[in-house]
Amino acid sequence: MKQKKVHIMTFGCQMNVSDSEKILLMLHTVGYESVSTVADADMVIVNTCSVRAKAEDRVYGILLTMKGELKKNPDLLIGVGGCVAQQEGEKLLKKIPHLSFVFGTHNLHLLPQIVTQAESGKRLSETAFIDDSSRFDLFPDHGGISGITRTVTIMQGCDNYCSYCIVPYVRGREVSRKRSDILNEVAKAADAGVREVTLLGQNVNSYGRKGGYGTDFSRLIRDVAKVSGIKRIRFMTSHPKDMSDPLLDCFADVEKLCSHIHLPVQSGSDRILALMNRGYTRSEYMNRIERLKLIRPDILVTSDIIVGFPGETEDDFSQSLSLMKEVGYSDTYSFVYSPRPETKAASLPDETSKSEKSERLKRLMALQSSLTKGVQSRFVGSGVEVLVEGISKKEGQVFGRSSGNRTVNFAGSIDMIGSMQLPEIIKNLQNSLLGELKVK
Ligand code: SAH
Ligand code: SF4
Ligand code: F3S
């Protein structure tokens, strides 16, 4: 088979990053290998995100630039996958005449057929949902892909319907993957040298709720912890309303579970949380955080916060700020609310001006940067355990992360990759820590 070349562009969350790996595996079966530039490619795949209008607009911008690429290489095939593809389907083919094919979030496994047809000049779109766990069985085994850290998908989709969010519409119903398949993948990854796994899903802590696997997320974590070779376990993303006591208990006695949790709060105001359909109050959220801190005093917490949700007043917003201080987040990913098609919140009255919203975002980010500084400064002068992941940009240095998910750089060598090291932190840089290995 002639070796053909594909350039895959990925936008959006970890789920899309993981999907891009699967896309490449599927394309290997029809003779494609990955290249890092469009100029070298026979085909471009744009794996898209539609969580905010900006992310969606960017996709159209990129597709426009592809017109220029087509002038240089008229045979270039252009495919669009991911959440915008799921949302728009066939309409994308009509809107963008130079597009070859569209595939939805549940159709990655159809790529070999889709691409073969596209190669013979057919334009097509496949966006049907598969709403059961059979969708996990449709991919070639990729447990053998190496690296020090990797994500393992344990569930997909979301049934929560937060009023602002498009994900349930573009990712479909929540479905958990079979426990035995997850454990097999983790074991293979460990054999291939992986030392840290991140259990991945839109809402991981409701793992097993549907599907009758006779297990839940806390038991899954305990099973993964038994896989030898795996030194660290993380998970993403969890929902505050599903932070069960058994899951909190894992932080007490599963040593491999890292001292970090991404627990998006979205707002500090009960009124806004109710409008968002989040299913918890501020005090219920704080109760989970306090329990976590009791169980794991060194735990670092990160969050997502939406600014300027319809009807958010200055008072509501100030409650988000006060909650950030109360928790002491090490990081927040904050976004100005963006109305999304089909979602409930899109029809709510919204009187706050754009400039007021961006002003609020600025204040939130300034607060977070001082909180991050404070959290990081706690580590200066002490030893921090780091799993070394690779060579830093700066010569002579390696990098990795602490259990609390802070990036640490320190002088080291290539043979340290994959090992645990204990540098002493000597400097708090804005987004990372600088360490130094002490001679024993
Ligand atoms: N499943 C995860 C993350 C989903 S999307 C969760 O439940 O937390 C990632 C983040 O994007 C969300 O946490 C939210 O903060 C943000 N987001 C989602 N929809 C948005 C919208 N319409 N406008 C602005 N931010 C949004
Ligand atoms: Fe979106 Fe809410 Fe589901 Fe997260 S839990 S993906 S924010 S609907
Ligand atoms: Fe974006 Fe889809 Fe992820 S909308 S955030 S790529 S699930």
Side-chain angles (χ1 to χ4, degrees):
M1 209 183 319
K2 183 184 163 274
Q3 192 73 67
K4 294 167 282 187
K5 298 189 168 81
V6 60
H7 176 61
I8 304 179
M9 302 166 94
T10 310
F11 300 93
C13 62
Q14 278 298 324
M15 194 57 81
N16 260 17
V17 173
S18 158
D19 280 353
S20 283
E21 291 176 6
K22 294 192 180 88
I23 289 171
L24 186 59
L25 282 170
M26 295 310 303
L27 293 175
H28 280 159
T29 67
V30 279
Y32 282 85
E33 68 173 33
S34 161
V35 287
S36 56
T37 61
V38 184
D40 291 332
D42 302 298
M43 178 164 73
V44 175
I45 300 246
V46 191
N47 192 7
T48 61
C49 172
S50 66
V51 80
R52 285 168 289 275
K54 239 188 212 161
E56 187 179 344
D57 294 346
R58 203 158 155 214
V59 172
Y60 289 104
I62 283 176
L63 291 175
L64 206 64
T65 65
M66 288 299 154
K67 269 189 165 174
E69 300 296 334
L70 272 167
K71 278 203 186 112
K72 290 181 234 158
N73 174 10
D75 295 328
L76 185 70
L77 291 177
I78 302 165
V80 175
C83 296
V84 177
Q86 187 63 50
Q87 183 190 312
E88 296 294 303
E90 205 132 341
K91 277 188 267 167
L92 268 181
L93 288 181
K94 293 206 181 93
K95 275 193 215 164
I96 304 163
H98 57 282
L99 198 58
S100 321
F101 59 92
V102 175
F103 59 103
T105 54
H106 291 195
N107 308 101
L108 278 49
H109 63 290
L110 298 177
L111 269 175
Q113 290 105 289
I114 296 174
V115 168
T116 309
Q117 293 192 61
E119 283 171 344
S120 62
K122 197 163 174 227
R123 299 180 77 220
L124 63 168
S125 162
E126 290 284 355
T127 53
F129 271 160
I130 308 169
D131 273 336
D132 61 46
S133 66
S134 67
R135 80 167 91 137
F136 294 111
D137 305 331
L138 301 167
F139 299 100
D141 186 359
H142 65 300
I145 295 179
S146 60
I148 302 305
T149 65
R150 66 171 289 113
T151 55
V152 173
T153 303
I154 65 161
M155 51 98 65
Q156 285 180 341
C158 180
D159 290 349
N160 285 323
Y161 291 97
C162 301
S163 64
Y164 49 82
C165 185
I166 199 165
V167 172
Y169 304 93
V170 290
R171 288 279 170 178
R173 299 291 54 76
E174 177 184 307
V175 178
S176 295
R177 187 180 174 198
K178 250 185 262 153
R179 171 183 168 276
S180 53
D181 289 349
I182 296 168
L183 293 176
N184 274 339
E185 186 174 325
V186 173
K188 277 193 189 147
D191 285 347
V194 170
R195 296 291 163 257
E196 177 183 301
V197 284
T198 300
L199 305 176
L200 186 65
Q202 262 90 14
N203 196 13
V204 286
N205 47 3
S206 63
Y207 174 79
R209 178 164 64 187
K210 294 196 311 197
Y213 296 131
T215 189
D216 67 3
F217 187 50
S218 66
R219 272 179 271 173
L220 183 71
I221 288 180
R222 290 175 191 279
D223 287 338
V224 171
K226 285 184 201 133
V227 177
S228 66
I230 295 298
K231 293 180 180 168
R232 281 180 168 181
I233 303 169
R234 302 182 188 274
F235 56 85
M236 222 174 68
T237 297
S238 38
H239 195 300
K241 77 174 166 50
D242 298 316
M243 277 306 288
S244 66
D245 287 343
L247 178 55
L248 291 179
D249 290 342
C250 287
F251 283 96
D253 49 28
V254 180
E255 259 178 53
K256 291 181 181 179
L257 191 58
C258 286
S259 295
H260 168 237
I261 186 163
H262 184 61
L263 199 60
V265 71
Q266 312 297 358
S267 170
S269 151
D270 281 343
R271 198 178 70 80
I272 298 295
L273 285 173
L275 285 172
M276 286 177 163
N277 189 32
R278 286 292 285 177
Y280 54 84
T281 60
R282 176 185 177 125
S283 77
E284 282 163 349
Y285 182 88
M286 282 313 300
N287 168 282
R288 298 289 86 183
I289 297 290
E290 277 151 20
R291 285 283 310 273
L292 270 167
K293 286 184 175 171
L294 270 178
I295 291 170
R296 267 286 173 101
D298 67 342
I299 197 156
L300 297 189
V301 188
T302 55
S303 191
D304 295 346
I305 295 183
I306 295 178
V307 171
F309 184 84
E312 183 191 73
T313 61
E314 174 59 31
D315 180 55
D316 293 316
F317 174 65
S318 69
Q319 292 181 47
S320 291
L321 298 183
S322 71
L323 180 126
M324 286 168 67
K325 288 186 230 164
E326 210 177 323
V327 178
Y329 289 123
S330 55
D331 258 324
T332 47
Y333 304 89
S334 43
F335 314 94
V336 167
Y337 167 75
S338 164
R340 304 310 292 133
E342 293 188 73
T343 60
K344 263 202 171 146
S347 56
L348 291 174
D350 188 2
E351 273 142 32
T352 313
S353 69
K354 254 189 172 171
S355 61
E356 174 64 36
K357 290 185 182 190
S358 43
E359 200 50 44
R360 285 182 193 168
L361 183 66
K362 264 196 211 145
R363 283 158 63 199
L364 190 154
M365 287 165 90
L367 169 62
Q368 185 54 54
S369 99
S370 75
L371 290 175
T372 303
K373 216 171 171 182
V375 169
Q376 292 216 136
S377 66
R378 280 189 231 148
F379 298 103
V380 176
S382 51
V384 165
E385 197 170 51
V386 174
L387 171 63
V388 182
E389 292 174 38
I391 299 290
S392 310
K393 278 185 206 132
K394 201 162 179 189
E395 225 186 294
Q397 285 190 359
V398 290
F399 76 93
R401 276 169 299 151
S402 68
S403 176
N405 212 26
R406 307 312 302 169
T407 300
V408 183
N409 290 280
F410 58 96
S413 53
I414 198 161
D415 53 290
M416 287 179 185
I417 296 175
S419 71
M420 289 285 194
Q421 299 289 335
L422 194 70
E424 182 182 315
I425 302 305
I426 52 171
K427 204 166 181 188
N428 173 7
L429 304 166
Q430 185 58 31
N431 295 311
S432 63
L433 296 164
L434 183 66
E436 190 176 69
L437 282 179
K438 300 279 172 196
V439 191
K440 279 173 213 148

